[in-house]
Amino acid sequence: MSKIISQINRLISRERFPYLTKNVVNLNTLNEVKKVFGWENDPLLTDPIIFEYTHFEDVNERRIRDAESLGIVMRNANPHVSLEIGTAEGHSTALMAENAPDSQIYTVNIPPEEILSGKGGVLTTAAFEREKIGSYYRSKGLQNISQIYANTATWEPNIGTIDVAFIDGCHDSDFVYNDTRKIMKNMKSGSFILWHDFNLQLSKKYGWIESVCQGVEWLYQDKIINGPIYLIQDAWVGIYRVQ
């Protein structure tokens, strides 16, 4: 019975997201990512929150898999300029900065008042107070991070050529699409884009994941991206190398 249900779910995903069904490549472990890209270095995972279990969504060591996905790209891609959309408390920001100490990390978070006014879309994680935004990375004393307060609906990434981008802001499909489209204009072949809350197999279980998947599907439809997106088993982070 479980095999039949699995087949039905694959058929549903194929109808809903034909481009993602064709292009998402599921990898078993972090070592498979290293094989795909010819990398040698494991990511540095120093943040205790990575290993915590707080919500049901954290099952199967999801936080660890997410941190591995972002950390290994930062550790091995040798980025000069990196961008994060969606600072929150700054845990992912710190992960990026520690794994690429020679990279300048620009992290963007919408001002909390714009979330409350409805200008930041619908599927946002939380409206953190301004003092709390980036509080974790500031507590670490990291020096290679620049904080930007802006709504990416109107903000333009005028920060030079972007080598790695981690998109984890508003999860509305149009935000995911537009954030990526703007970033792509400032990237070159070989750069990396990562989307958080991206997992095709879970797109029918969690609405915000479905919304992110839809935004990425549109990118394929409009030929803004092409080629594979890699996903470690149980991770919620899609890894894409710009063609």
Side-chain angles (χ1 to χ4, degrees):
M1 179 65 71
S2 61
K3 187 176 292 186
I4 294 174
I5 293 174
S6 178
Q7 290 173 345
I8 292 172
N9 286 337
R10 284 200 296 272
L11 286 172
I12 292 172
S13 294
R14 189 174 295 118
E15 293 173 359
R16 184 80 168 88
F17 302 116
Y19 286 96
L20 293 184
T21 301
K22 178 181 178 181
N23 286 285
V24 172
V25 178
N26 293 296
L27 303 177
N28 292 324
T29 65
L30 183 67
N31 283 332
E32 292 299 310
V33 180
K34 294 165 71 174
K35 290 179 182 178
V36 167
F37 296 112
W39 290 340
E40 297 182 356
N41 300 313
D42 288 328
L44 304 174
L45 307 180
T46 64
D47 187 347
I49 201 173
I50 294 171
F51 306 95
E52 293 179 1
Y53 176 92
T54 305
H55 305 287
F56 172 76
E57 291 81 7
D58 298 329
V59 296
N60 300 322
E61 298 185 333
R62 192 270 304 174
R63 292 189 182 193
I64 299 175
R65 302 290 87 81
D66 287 358
E68 287 177 341
S69 301
L70 177 57
I72 195 169
V73 174
M74 295 300 296
R75 188 85 194 278
N76 290 277
N78 298 315
H80 177 65
V81 174
S82 303
L83 172 65
E84 176 188 43
I85 294 180
T87 312
E89 293 178 298
H91 290 277
S92 296
T93 325
L95 176 68
M96 295 174 72
E98 289 180 333
N99 278 277
D102 294 328
S103 177
Q104 182 61 42
I105 314 295
Y106 294 90
T107 181
V108 182
N109 204 93
I110 186 172
E113 59 271 16
E114 291 202 33
I115 295 181
L116 296 174
S117 68
K119 296 179 181 179
V122 177
L123 298 174
T124 54
T125 303
F128 290 105
E129 296 178 358
R130 191 176 287 256
E131 294 75 18
K132 195 172 184 180
I133 295 170
S135 57
Y136 178 74
Y137 78 70
R138 286 195 297 273
S139 74
K140 303 269 288 184
L142 296 164
Q143 300 299 309
N144 59 327
I145 299 172
S146 297
Q147 181 71 60
I148 298 171
Y149 297 98
N151 186 340
T152 58
T154 55
W155 178 74
E156 293 293 334
N158 298 318
I159 56 174
T161 301
I162 301 167
D163 301 303
V164 175
F166 181 52
I167 300 177
D168 189 23
C170 177
H171 295 71
D172 293 11
S173 300
D174 55 342
F175 268 82
V176 174
Y177 176 90
N178 285 310
D179 287 348
T180 307
R181 180 181 56 80
K182 287 193 286 188
I183 290 168
M184 287 282 292
K185 294 178 180 178
N186 296 275
M187 298 187 108
K188 61 183 184 298
S189 177
S191 301
F192 285 87
I193 297 178
L194 299 90
W195 299 275
H196 193 227
D197 294 295
F198 176 90
N199 186 308
L200 185 58
Q201 295 177 346
L202 297 175
S203 62
K204 289 299 179 183
K205 187 175 182 64
Y206 302 114
W208 67 92
I209 291 180
E210 180 180 27
S211 185
V212 171
C213 287
Q214 182 63 75
V216 178
E217 178 77 6
W218 290 342
L219 293 165
Y220 277 111
Q221 289 177 0
D222 291 347
K223 303 186 186 309
I224 295 172
I225 64 174
N226 60 83
I229 295 175
Y230 296 97
L231 184 75
I232 299 175
Q233 180 66 35
D234 297 319
W236 290 13
V237 175
I239 303 171
Y240 173 76
R241 181 160 60 180
V242 177
Q243 304 299 304

